Structures are given as structure tokens and as C-alpha cells.
Amino acid sequence: MNARTEPELLSPPMHSPARLSNTHLDALEEEAIFVLREVAAAFERPTLLFSGGKDSLVLLKCAEKAFGAGRLPYPLLMIDTGHNFPEVTQFRDQRAKELGAELIVRSVEDSMKRGTVRLAHPLESRNVHQSVTLLEAIEEFRFDALIGGARRDEEKARAKERIFSHRDSFGQWQPKDQRPELWTLFNTRLAPGEHFRVFPISNWTELDVWQYIERENIALPSIYYTHKRQVVERRGLLVPVTELTPPKDGEQVEVRDVRFRTVGDITCTCPVESLAADAGDVVIETLAADVSERGATRMDDKTSDASMEKRKKDGYF
């Protein structure tokens, strides 16, 4: 089940134009549901990481199918940098309320007040500092499994993950010391203080996610689709103009039609030019994309190829 077999992408029905096949989504959904149920059975205090982004909303849809609407067996957890897009946090709260799910929010700003997070300067991105707040939440609630929507196609470090990814008592990840997952058998044994990060949609791609969103008619925050926004070009990216990301001297502010491929901290997340107004349009755009989701949108991943792997070793999700 873990090894994905690529389907034939184009499946033309009789007497109609070729269309993109989504029959492989059934197998991916089945695997995700199996993993979600396995977590509920194997762990005492699991939680589902829920940001209000597209991957976590797909994961939430699979969880609804796994357990029934309004019957999630674990709470939702959000680590808030305080610099998230308001459209996303509002959608997060609305979706959790609709499901009747328990939503736990822990803030990087609270970690700053405790002195466990210290910024180099006021405008420094808080994205990397989420690791500290996350580990504090794990200790506070004694979580033994954290379910997330990471995918292996996002970037190199995520591609090294197992579906059940072990973390030591310090919350650290050792990529060379992971447990085998042959025949979909998962070793979930834990020592005191350790926990797992679990990735039920690990074998999905960005294209799979958007096909699933289209098939299941999953509602998303509005910024995932085309809208007009002030941006500046910087280091090959379109940087949104906000109070947190003002234009630099010499940069020209333009209004462009854009959408976000991924959403995160405002200080490090960029949109892409797009006229895609719905999930079907995004599927078509994604087929033609030649740059990964994070490579096209994340300023904080531009430092080096090893930047994400170092953060994950330190506890980043």
C-alpha cells in the first residue's frame, strides 16, 4: 500500500475529449483512512495538526470518512505564529466549529513571553520558531502522536520521512535511524517522552491533493484561488506587500492576479501568478508546473537545500 503505482494520467471515455483520470485517488484515500484509524488504535493521546491549509483540510476530510462526521477521536492542534493570513485562521476556526471538533491553539507569541523564543529582530520570520512552541504543546498535553499533512513531493527532507516517523524524547528526528514499514506493518513502540509524527497523505502529490479537492468539493480559504494583490518581485518570488513584508528601497509595487499554492507565515509565504478560479483550474495549472510547491512559494527555504532537514531534526513538523 505504501508504494504508489503511477496511473495512466489521461483516460478518455468513449466519444468524449480526453480528461484527467482520478481513479487512483481511491487507493490514496483508502491508505490515509487506514493510517488515521491505526493512529486512533495504537496511541493514547494523538492529535491532528490543523492549520486551515489545503493539505490539512484534505486530511480532515479523510478523517471524517474514517470515523464519521463530528466523531473525530482526537483534538485538532494549531501552532500559530501570530503572522498567519487572516483568511486562513478564520476558515480554520469556522471549519472546526462546523465539525464540533476540539481546537487547541498555541502561539509563538506566548513562547516569546515565556522567553523560550527570542527573535533576532522584530521583523524576523517566526516560522522556524514554531518548533519550540510545538514541543511545548507536546509536553503540555503529553501527545504521543501528531498527525500532519506533509507530502513527500514537497521537498528533499520530507521525502526521507516514513509514514510513522519516530521522534526521540527531545523531539528530534534522525533520518538515518527510522523504522522499516514493510507490508504496511508499523512499529509504534515508544519509550517515555518519545512520540511519532504521522503522515497519512505522505504518498500524495500536489496534483493528487487538488484532484481530491475537486472530486470531494472541499471548501478552501479564498486565497487559494485567483485574486488581486499588491506584490513586489524579489529573488525570483512574488512577495506580498503587507505591514510585515513592506517593499524595499527601489522595489516597484504591482497589482497582479495571484493565488497561493501553500499558506503559512506571511513573512515567508509568496503567491504565484494565476487566474485559476476553482479546483479544476488549479489542476490544469499544476500539471504544467515545473517548480515544486515550496520552491515556488517559500522564502525561508531558499537558504540551502539542507535548511528544512536541519529544522526537522530540531523538532519542526
Side-chain angles (χ1 to χ4, degrees), residues 175-229:
K176 294 182 179 180
D177 190 26
Q178 297 189 83
R179 300 173 181 181
E181 295 179 344
L182 302 175
W183 305 293
T184 320
L185 296 175
F186 303 113
N187 181 350
T188 59
R189 186 177 66 252
L190 285 174
E194 298 177 343
H195 69 275
F196 273 91
R197 310 285 174 90
V198 184
F199 307 105
I201 62 170
S202 181
N203 289 323
W204 300 43
T205 66
E206 182 184 10
L207 179 60
D208 296 329
V209 166
W210 279 107
Q211 285 188 273
Y212 191 75
I213 289 168
E214 181 184 26
R215 189 184 83 170
E216 301 293 325
N217 195 27
I218 298 173
L220 299 180
S222 59
I223 62 175
Y224 273 110
Y225 300 114
T226 187
H227 60 283
K228 294 189 181 297
R229 186 178 290 266

Coordinates of all heavy atoms in Angstrom, one line a residue, residues 175-229:
P175 N 17.0 11.0 10.5 CA 16.6 10.4 9.3 C 17.3 9.0 9.0 O 16.7 8.2 8.2 CB 17.0 11.4 8.2 CG 18.0 12.3 8.9 CD 17.7 12.3 10.3
K176 N 18.5 8.8 9.6 CA 19.2 7.5 9.3 C 18.8 6.4 10.3 O 19.3 5.3 10.2 CB 20.7 7.7 9.4 CG 21.2 8.6 8.2 CD 22.7 8.8 8.3 CE 23.2 9.6 7.2 NZ 24.7 9.8 7.2
D177 N 17.9 6.7 11.2 CA 17.5 5.8 12.3 C 16.0 5.6 12.3 O 15.4 5.7 13.4 CB 18.0 6.2 13.6 CG 17.9 5.2 14.7 OD1 17.9 4.0 14.3 OD2 17.8 5.6 15.9
Q178 N 15.4 5.4 11.1 CA 14.0 5.2 11.0 C 13.6 3.8 10.9 O 14.4 2.9 10.5 CB 13.4 6.0 9.8 CG 13.6 7.5 9.9 CD 12.9 8.2 8.9 OE1 11.7 8.5 9.0 NE2 13.6 8.6 7.8
R179 N 12.3 3.5 11.3 CA 11.9 2.1 11.4 C 11.3 1.6 10.0 O 10.6 2.4 9.4 CB 10.8 2.0 12.5 CG 11.4 2.3 13.8 CD 10.3 2.4 14.9 NE 10.9 2.8 16.2 CZ 10.2 2.9 17.3 NH1 8.9 2.6 17.3 NH2 10.8 3.2 18.5
P180 N 11.6 0.4 9.6 CA 11.0 -0.1 8.4 C 9.5 -0.2 8.4 O 8.9 -0.4 9.5 CB 11.7 -1.5 8.2 CG 12.1 -1.9 9.6 CD 12.4 -0.6 10.3
E181 N 8.9 -0.1 7.3 CA 7.4 -0.2 7.2 C 7.0 -1.2 6.1 O 6.2 -0.9 5.2 CB 6.8 1.2 6.9 CG 7.1 2.2 8.0 CD 6.5 3.6 7.8 OE1 6.2 3.9 6.6 OE2 6.4 4.3 8.7
L182 N 7.6 -2.4 6.1 CA 7.3 -3.4 5.2 C 5.9 -4.0 5.4 O 5.5 -4.1 6.5 CB 8.4 -4.5 5.3 CG 9.9 -4.1 5.1 CD1 10.8 -5.3 5.3 CD2 10.1 -3.6 3.7
W183 N 5.3 -4.2 4.3 CA 3.9 -4.8 4.2 C 2.9 -4.0 5.1 O 2.0 -4.5 5.7 CB 4.0 -6.3 4.7 CG 4.9 -7.1 4.0 CD1 4.9 -7.5 2.7 CD2 6.2 -7.7 4.5 NE1 6.0 -8.2 2.3 CE2 6.8 -8.4 3.4 CE3 6.8 -7.6 5.7 CZ2 8.0 -9.0 3.5 CZ3 8.0 -8.3 5.8 CH2 8.6 -9.0 4.8
T184 N 3.1 -2.7 5.1 CA 2.2 -1.8 5.9 C 2.1 -2.2 7.4 O 1.1 -2.1 8.0 CB 0.9 -1.8 5.2 OG1 1.0 -1.8 3.8 CG2 0.1 -0.5 5.6
L185 N 3.2 -2.7 7.9 CA 3.3 -3.0 9.3 C 4.1 -1.9 10.0 O 5.2 -1.7 9.6 CB 3.9 -4.4 9.6 CG 3.2 -5.6 9.0 CD1 4.0 -6.9 9.2 CD2 1.8 -5.7 9.7
F186 N 3.5 -1.2 11.0 CA 4.1 -0.1 11.6 C 4.5 -0.4 13.1 O 3.7 -0.9 13.8 CB 3.1 1.1 11.6 CG 2.6 1.5 10.3 CD1 1.3 1.3 9.9 CD2 3.5 2.0 9.3 CE1 0.8 1.7 8.7 CE2 3.0 2.4 8.1 CZ 1.7 2.2 7.7
N187 N 5.8 -0.1 13.4 CA 6.3 -0.3 14.7 C 6.0 1.0 15.5 O 6.7 2.0 15.3 CB 7.8 -0.6 14.7 CG 8.4 -0.8 16.0 OD1 7.8 -0.6 17.1 ND2 9.7 -1.3 16.1
T188 N 5.0 0.9 16.4 CA 4.6 2.1 17.1 C 5.1 2.1 18.6 O 4.6 2.9 19.4 CB 3.1 2.3 17.1 OG1 2.5 1.1 17.7 CG2 2.6 2.4 15.6
R189 N 6.1 1.3 18.9 CA 6.6 1.2 20.2 C 7.3 2.5 20.6 O 8.1 3.1 19.9 CB 7.5 0.1 20.4 CG 8.0 -0.2 21.8 CD 8.9 -1.4 21.9 NE 10.1 -1.2 21.2 CZ 10.4 -1.8 20.1 NH1 9.6 -2.6 19.5 NH2 11.6 -1.6 19.5
L190 N 7.0 3.0 21.8 CA 7.5 4.3 22.3 C 8.1 4.1 23.7 O 7.6 3.4 24.5 CB 6.5 5.4 22.4 CG 6.0 6.0 21.1 CD1 4.8 6.9 21.4 CD2 7.1 6.7 20.3
A191 N 9.3 4.8 23.9 CA 9.8 4.9 25.3 C 9.2 6.2 25.9 O 8.7 7.1 25.2 CB 11.3 5.0 25.2
P192 N 9.3 6.3 27.2 CA 8.7 7.5 27.8 C 9.3 8.8 27.3 O 10.5 8.9 27.1 CB 9.1 7.4 29.3 CG 9.2 5.9 29.5 CD 9.8 5.4 28.2
G193 N 8.4 9.8 27.0 CA 8.8 11.1 26.4 C 8.9 11.1 24.9 O 9.1 12.2 24.4
E194 N 8.9 10.0 24.3 CA 9.0 10.0 22.8 C 7.6 10.1 22.2 O 6.6 10.0 22.8 CB 9.7 8.6 22.3 CG 11.1 8.4 22.8 CD 11.7 7.1 22.4 OE1 10.9 6.2 22.0 OE2 12.9 6.9 22.5
H195 N 7.6 10.4 20.9 CA 6.4 10.5 20.2 C 6.6 10.2 18.7 O 7.7 10.1 18.2 CB 5.7 11.9 20.4 CG 6.4 13.0 19.7 ND1 7.4 13.7 20.3 CD2 6.2 13.6 18.5 CE1 7.8 14.7 19.5 NE2 7.1 14.6 18.4
F196 N 5.5 10.1 17.9 CA 5.5 9.9 16.5 C 4.9 11.1 15.8 O 4.0 11.7 16.3 CB 4.8 8.7 16.1 CG 5.5 7.4 16.1 CD1 5.6 6.6 17.3 CD2 6.3 7.0 15.0 CE1 6.3 5.4 17.4 CE2 7.0 5.8 15.1 CZ 7.0 5.0 16.3
R197 N 5.5 11.4 14.6 CA 4.8 12.3 13.7 C 4.3 11.4 12.6 O 5.0 10.5 12.0 CB 5.8 13.3 13.0 CG 6.7 14.1 14.1 CD 5.9 15.2 14.8 NE 6.7 15.8 15.8 CZ 7.4 16.8 15.7 NH1 7.6 17.4 14.5 NH2 8.1 17.4 16.7
V198 N 3.0 11.5 12.2 CA 2.4 10.5 11.3 C 1.9 11.3 10.1 O 1.2 12.3 10.2 CB 1.2 9.8 12.0 CG1 0.6 8.8 11.1 CG2 1.7 9.1 13.3
F199 N 2.1 10.8 8.9 CA 1.8 11.5 7.6 C 0.9 10.6 6.7 O 1.4 9.9 5.9 CB 3.1 11.8 6.9 CG 4.1 12.6 7.8 CD1 5.2 12.0 8.3 CD2 3.8 13.9 8.1 CE1 6.1 12.7 9.1 CE2 4.7 14.6 8.9 CZ 5.8 14.0 9.4
P200 N -0.4 10.6 6.9 CA -1.3 9.7 6.2 C -1.3 10.0 4.7 O -1.7 9.1 3.9 CB -2.7 10.0 6.8 CG -2.3 10.5 8.2 CD -1.1 11.3 8.0
I201 N -1.0 11.3 4.3 CA -1.0 11.6 2.8 C 0.4 11.7 2.3 O 0.6 12.4 1.3 CB -1.9 12.8 2.5 CG1 -1.3 14.1 3.2 CG2 -3.3 12.6 2.9 CD1 -2.0 15.4 2.7
S202 N 1.3 11.0 2.9 CA 2.7 11.1 2.5 C 2.9 10.7 1.1 O 3.8 11.2 0.4 CB 3.5 10.1 3.4 OG 4.9 10.2 3.1
N203 N 2.1 9.7 0.6 CA 2.3 9.3 -0.8 C 1.5 10.1 -1.8 O 1.5 9.7 -3.0 CB 1.9 7.8 -0.9 CG 2.9 6.9 -0.2 OD1 4.1 7.1 -0.2 ND2 2.4 5.9 0.5
W204 N 0.8 11.1 -1.4 CA 0.1 12.0 -2.3 C 1.1 13.1 -2.9 O 2.1 13.4 -2.3 CB -1.0 12.7 -1.6 CG -2.1 11.9 -1.0 CD1 -1.9 10.7 -0.3 CD2 -3.5 12.1 -1.0 NE1 -3.1 10.2 0.1 CE2 -4.1 11.1 -0.3 CE3 -4.3 13.1 -1.6 CZ2 -5.5 11.0 -0.1 CZ3 -5.7 13.1 -1.4 CH2 -6.3 12.0 -0.7
T205 N 0.7 13.6 -4.1 CA 1.4 14.7 -4.7 C 0.5 16.0 -4.6 O -0.7 15.9 -4.3 CB 1.8 14.4 -6.1 OG1 0.6 14.3 -6.9 CG2 2.6 13.1 -6.2
E206 N 1.0 17.1 -5.0 CA 0.2 18.3 -5.0 C -0.9 18.1 -6.0 O -2.1 18.6 -5.7 CB 1.1 19.5 -5.5 CG 0.4 20.8 -5.5 CD 1.2 22.0 -6.0 OE1 2.3 21.7 -6.5 OE2 0.8 23.1 -5.9
L207 N -0.7 17.5 -7.1 CA -1.7 17.2 -8.1 C -2.8 16.3 -7.5 O -4.0 16.6 -7.7 CB -1.1 16.6 -9.4 CG -2.1 16.2 -10.5 CD1 -2.8 17.5 -11.0 CD2 -1.4 15.5 -11.6
D208 N -2.4 15.3 -6.8 CA -3.4 14.4 -6.2 C -4.3 15.2 -5.2 O -5.5 15.0 -5.2 CB -2.7 13.3 -5.4 CG -1.9 12.4 -6.2 OD1 -2.3 12.1 -7.4 OD2 -0.9 11.8 -5.7
V209 N -3.7 16.1 -4.4 CA -4.4 16.9 -3.4 C -5.5 17.7 -4.2 O -6.7 17.8 -3.7 CB -3.5 17.8 -2.6 CG1 -4.3 18.8 -1.9 CG2 -2.7 16.9 -1.6
W210 N -5.1 18.4 -5.3 CA -6.1 19.2 -6.0 C -7.1 18.4 -6.7 O -8.3 18.8 -6.7 CB -5.3 20.1 -6.9 CG -4.8 21.3 -6.2 CD1 -3.5 21.6 -5.9 CD2 -5.5 22.4 -5.6 NE1 -3.4 22.8 -5.2 CE2 -4.6 23.3 -5.0 CE3 -6.9 22.7 -5.6 CZ2 -5.0 24.5 -4.4 CZ3 -7.3 23.9 -5.0 CH2 -6.3 24.8 -4.4
Q211 N -6.8 17.3 -7.2 CA -7.8 16.4 -7.8 C -8.8 15.9 -6.7 O -10.0 15.8 -7.0 CB -7.2 15.2 -8.5 CG -6.5 15.5 -9.8 CD -6.0 14.2 -10.5 OE1 -4.9 13.7 -10.2 NE2 -6.9 13.7 -11.3
Y212 N -8.3 15.6 -5.5 CA -9.2 15.2 -4.4 C -10.1 16.3 -4.0 O -11.3 16.1 -3.7 CB -8.3 14.7 -3.3 CG -9.1 14.0 -2.2 CD1 -9.6 12.7 -2.4 CD2 -9.4 14.5 -1.0 CE1 -10.3 12.0 -1.5 CE2 -10.1 13.9 0.0 CZ -10.6 12.6 -0.2 OH -11.3 11.9 0.7
I213 N -9.5 17.5 -3.9 CA -10.3 18.7 -3.5 C -11.4 18.9 -4.5 O -12.6 19.2 -4.2 CB -9.4 20.0 -3.4 CG1 -8.5 19.9 -2.2 CG2 -10.2 21.2 -3.4 CD1 -7.4 20.9 -2.2
E214 N -11.1 18.8 -5.8 CA -12.1 18.9 -6.9 C -13.2 17.8 -6.8 O -14.4 18.1 -6.8 CB -11.5 18.9 -8.2 CG -12.5 19.1 -9.4 CD -11.8 19.0 -10.7 OE1 -10.8 18.3 -10.9 OE2 -12.4 19.5 -11.7
R215 N -12.7 16.6 -6.6 CA -13.7 15.4 -6.5 C -14.6 15.5 -5.3 O -15.8 15.2 -5.4 CB -12.9 14.1 -6.5 CG -13.8 12.9 -6.7 CD -13.1 11.6 -6.5 NE -12.8 11.2 -5.1 CZ -12.4 10.0 -4.8 NH1 -12.0 9.1 -5.7 NH2 -12.2 9.7 -3.5
E216 N -14.0 15.9 -4.2 CA -14.8 15.9 -2.9 C -15.5 17.2 -2.7 O -16.2 17.4 -1.7 CB -13.9 15.5 -1.8 CG -13.3 14.1 -1.9 CD -14.3 13.0 -1.8 OE1 -15.3 13.2 -1.1 OE2 -14.1 12.0 -2.5
N217 N -15.2 18.2 -3.5 CA -15.8 19.5 -3.4 C -15.5 20.1 -2.0 O -16.3 20.6 -1.3 CB -17.3 19.5 -3.6 CG -17.9 20.9 -3.8 OD1 -17.2 21.8 -4.3 ND2 -19.2 21.1 -3.5
I218 N -14.2 20.1 -1.7 CA -13.7 20.6 -0.4 C -13.6 22.1 -0.4 O -12.9 22.6 -1.3 CB -12.4 19.9 0.0 CG1 -12.6 18.4 0.1 CG2 -11.8 20.5 1.3 CD1 -11.3 17.6 0.4
A219 N -14.2 22.8 0.5 CA -14.1 24.3 0.6 C -12.7 24.6 1.1 O -12.2 24.0 2.0 CB -15.2 24.8 1.5
L220 N -12.1 25.7 0.6 CA -10.8 26.2 1.0 C -10.8 27.7 1.3 O -11.7 28.4 0.8 CB -9.8 26.0 -0.1 CG -9.5 24.6 -0.6 CD1 -8.4 24.6 -1.7 CD2 -9.0 23.7 0.5
P221 N -9.9 28.2 2.0 CA -9.7 29.7 2.2 C -9.6 30.3 0.8 O -9.0 29.8 -0.1 CB -8.5 29.8 3.0 CG -8.3 28.5 3.7 CD -8.9 27.5 2.8
S222 N -10.2 31.5 0.7 CA -10.3 32.2 -0.6 C -9.0 32.4 -1.3 O -8.9 32.5 -2.5 CB -11.1 33.5 -0.5 OG -10.4 34.3 0.5
I223 N -7.9 32.6 -0.5 CA -6.6 33.0 -1.1 C -6.0 31.9 -1.9 O -5.0 32.1 -2.6 CB -5.6 33.5 0.0 CG1 -5.3 32.5 1.0 CG2 -6.2 34.8 0.6 CD1 -4.2 33.0 2.0
Y224 N -6.5 30.7 -1.9 CA -6.0 29.6 -2.7 C -6.4 29.8 -4.2 O -5.9 29.1 -5.0 CB -6.6 28.2 -2.2 CG -5.7 27.6 -1.1 CD1 -6.2 27.5 0.2 CD2 -4.4 27.1 -1.4 CE1 -5.4 26.9 1.2 CE2 -3.6 26.5 -0.4 CZ -4.1 26.4 0.8 OH -3.3 25.9 1.8
Y225 N -7.3 30.7 -4.4 CA -7.8 30.9 -5.8 C -7.5 32.4 -6.2 O -7.1 33.2 -5.4 CB -9.3 30.7 -5.9 CG -9.6 29.2 -5.5 CD1 -10.4 28.9 -4.4 CD2 -9.2 28.2 -6.3 CE1 -10.7 27.6 -4.1 CE2 -9.5 26.8 -6.0 CZ -10.2 26.6 -4.9 OH -10.5 25.3 -4.5
T226 N -7.6 32.6 -7.5 CA -7.1 33.9 -8.0 C -7.8 35.1 -7.3 O -9.0 35.1 -7.1 CB -7.4 34.0 -9.6 OG1 -6.8 35.2 -10.1 CG2 -8.9 34.0 -9.9
H227 N -7.0 36.1 -7.1 CA -7.4 37.4 -6.5 C -6.3 38.4 -6.8 O -5.2 38.1 -7.1 CB -7.7 37.3 -5.0 CG -6.5 36.9 -4.2 ND1 -6.0 35.6 -4.2 CD2 -5.6 37.6 -3.4 CE1 -4.9 35.5 -3.4 NE2 -4.6 36.7 -3.0
K228 N -6.7 39.7 -6.7 CA -5.7 40.7 -7.0 C -5.0 41.1 -5.7 O -5.6 41.2 -4.6 CB -6.4 41.9 -7.6 CG -7.0 41.7 -9.0 CD -7.5 43.0 -9.7 CE -8.0 42.7 -11.1 NZ -7.0 42.1 -12.0
R229 N -3.7 41.3 -5.8 CA -2.9 41.5 -4.6 C -1.7 42.4 -5.0 O -1.1 42.2 -6.0 CB -2.4 40.2 -3.9 CG -1.7 40.4 -2.6 CD -1.4 39.1 -2.0 NE -2.6 38.3 -1.5 CZ -3.0 38.4 -0.3 NH1 -2.4 39.1 0.6 NH2 -4.1 37.7 0.0

